[in-house]
Amino acid sequence: MNENFKATLKSAETEDWLDLHVIRPFCYYLAVFFNKFDIHPNTVTIWSMIVGAASAIFFGCGSLYYSGWWGLSMNIIAIVLLMIADILDCTDGQLARLSGKKSRLGRILDGVAGFAWFIPIYHLLVYRFCLHHDIEFSLLGIEDTQQNVIIATVIAYILGVISGVMGLAGQQRLADYYIQVHLFFLKGEKGAELDNSKRQQEIYDQMTPETHSWAERYFQKSYIDYTKKQEKVTPQFQRLMQKLREKFGASENIPESIRKEFHDQSLPVIFWNGLLTFNFRSFWLFVFCLLDIPVMNFVWEIVGMGLLYLYINRRHEAFCKKIADTI
């Protein structure tokens, strides 16, 4: 593996096979290209948001069953646009490490990008269901009346909200956190972006209208809530970190034996954690849209991805508790 390429990765351990061997190498050359023209990583992130959100327009079209080859081509365009958005989202981080243009705003924007894609996509999927629902109504034995369409669309919208808020948002938030936790014990504080809500609140309190724009203050305020939610679902990890701080003080004083024990326990979880991120999640979105049953994506995220989330969270919390009890 090229050393220059490796330097743009957070860690090979936190990348899945597809990212490490296909997407990330391509993004590296894209980052090199952008760096030659002095393009800022945050600009690339914003491009990613725009392209990903634009894909929603095409996801809102029926596919082969309802709209023939035209519909299928619209869905293929949607898939391509979302994949381009993901490539740009991967590139921004590699560009930041390559150029040294890391920033707190960049870190926050990177976390927001996925939501900028999927919020419009999920709304357009509900709209699509409202127009095209023959398959679902036929399978469930529902008569295609105006009243039933309204009721079913409301239910689909509720499923979309649950899928987005409890599914997508919560699952990706946890996945991102566990990646940063793993990097913290692998590389130390400087090699990770393991933020905490207390520190983020202090940063926000120091911001003023004179020194920071309203957008920076808004994103920082949102990021406080983001980190609080990460901490809320990981009480045993928070307990472990508290005990480590009390006993060893600075993170660089944590004994290598504890770091190794944590790393060895965390590494298998990181594999499953990768399934909560874009590649595995978007695969199912693409399948359900091409099959013309997009609402099933909401059900899958709530049930299938929800069970995976619980497994990863319980397993991670269990070994954190075990390590904390020995300190």
Side-chain angles (χ1 to χ4, degrees), residues 186-227:
L186 178 66
K187 295 186 172 184
E189 193 166 0
K190 292 183 179 179
E193 296 170 331
L194 186 58
D195 297 322
N196 63 78
S197 58
K198 182 179 179 181
R199 175 56 185 153
Q200 297 310 308
Q201 183 66 56
E202 291 172 353
I203 293 171
Y204 178 78
D205 292 340
Q206 294 169 4
M207 290 180 164
T208 66
E210 292 74 27
T211 59
H212 296 83
S213 68
W214 69 268
E216 288 180 290
R217 286 181 281 120
Y218 171 78
F219 281 123
Q220 182 62 31
K221 185 69 174 178
S222 301
Y223 195 53
I224 295 169
D225 181 62
Y226 183 86
T227 52

Side-chain angles (χ1 to χ4, degrees), residues 178 233-237 313-321:
Y178 282 161
V233 297
T234 56
Q236 292 301 327
F237 173 71
N313 183 233
R314 297 284 178 85
R315 184 167 172 178
H316 199 278
E317 285 286 280
F319 77 72
C320 285
K321 181 180 185 303

Side-chain angles (χ1 to χ4, degrees), residues 5-17:
F5 166 59
K6 284 177 64 177
T8 66
L9 300 177
K10 295 176 182 178
S11 167
E13 291 186 356
T14 57
E15 304 287 349
D16 64 28
W17 187 92

Side-chain angles (χ1 to χ4, degrees), residues 46-63:
I46 293 170
W47 290 347
S48 166
M49 292 180 182
I50 294 171
V51 173
S55 72
I57 299 170
F58 300 93
F59 275 119
C61 301
S63 191

Side-chain angles (χ1 to χ4, degrees), residues 34-272:
F34 288 152
N35 193 45
K36 285 182 179 179
F37 292 92
D38 198 30
I39 297 174
H40 198 281
N42 291 354
T43 302
V44 179
T45 306
I46 293 170
W47 290 347
S48 166
M49 292 180 182
I50 294 171
V51 173
S55 72
I57 299 170
F58 300 93
F59 275 119
C61 301
S63 191
L64 186 63
Y65 181 83
Y66 294 107
S67 305
W69 292 107
W70 178 88
L72 179 62
S73 65
M74 292 298 99
N75 277 250
I76 290 174
I77 291 172
I79 291 169
V80 171
L81 287 176
L82 192 56
M83 290 174 66
I84 292 172
D86 179 60
I87 288 171
L88 291 172
D89 188 48
C90 291
T91 301
D92 63 7
Q94 288 178 261
L95 177 59
R97 286 181 282 275
L98 177 68
S99 64
K101 295 176 182 177
K102 296 181 181 180
S103 66
R104 183 177 65 255
L105 180 60
R107 164 68 176 149
I108 296 170
L109 282 175
D110 193 51
V112 170
F115 303 121
W117 307 339
F118 285 105
I119 288 174
I121 287 174
Y122 283 16
H123 277 86
L124 265 294
L125 290 183
V126 174
Y127 171 75
R128 171 175 169 170
F129 171 76
C130 182
L131 297 179
H132 307 294
H133 45 259
D134 292 357
I135 295 175
E136 292 89 345
F137 275 29
S138 176
L139 289 172
L140 297 173
I142 300 173
E143 186 180 356
D144 193 358
T145 64
Q146 184 176 6
Q147 182 179 11
N148 286 343
V149 170
I150 293 172
I151 294 171
T153 302
V154 170
I155 293 172
Y157 187 82
I158 292 171
L159 288 174
V161 171
I162 295 172
S163 173
V165 175
M166 296 179 62
L168 171 71
Q171 292 160 13
Q172 292 201 323
R173 188 167 54 234
L174 185 76
D176 177 61
Y177 195 54
Y178 282 161
I179 288 172
Q180 299 306 327
V181 167
H182 187 81
L183 292 173
F184 176 83
F185 282 90
L186 178 66
K187 295 186 172 184
E189 193 166 0
K190 292 183 179 179
E193 296 170 331
L194 186 58
D195 297 322
N196 63 78
S197 58
K198 182 179 179 181
R199 175 56 185 153
Q200 297 310 308
Q201 183 66 56
E202 291 172 353
I203 293 171
Y204 178 78
D205 292 340
Q206 294 169 4
M207 290 180 164
T208 66
E210 292 74 27
T211 59
H212 296 83
S213 68
W214 69 268
E216 288 180 290
R217 286 181 281 120
Y218 171 78
F219 281 123
Q220 182 62 31
K221 185 69 174 178
S222 301
Y223 195 53
I224 295 169
D225 181 62
Y226 183 86
T227 52
K228 281 183 177 179
K229 288 177 178 177
Q230 289 176 323
E231 292 162 358
K232 184 177 180 180
V233 297
T234 56
Q236 292 301 327
F237 173 71
Q238 305 309 319
R239 173 172 166 259
L240 171 61
M241 290 297 290
Q242 181 63 32
K243 294 189 75 171
L244 290 173
R245 283 191 291 265
E246 290 173 354
K247 187 166 184 177
F248 304 109
S251 60
E252 58 264 25
N253 296 331
I254 298 174
E256 185 60 31
S257 59
I258 294 179
R259 288 185 178 277
K260 185 178 185 306
E261 181 181 5
F262 189 97
H263 172 270
D264 292 346
Q265 294 283 346
S266 174
L267 192 56
V269 178
I270 286 296
F271 167 79
W272 296 105

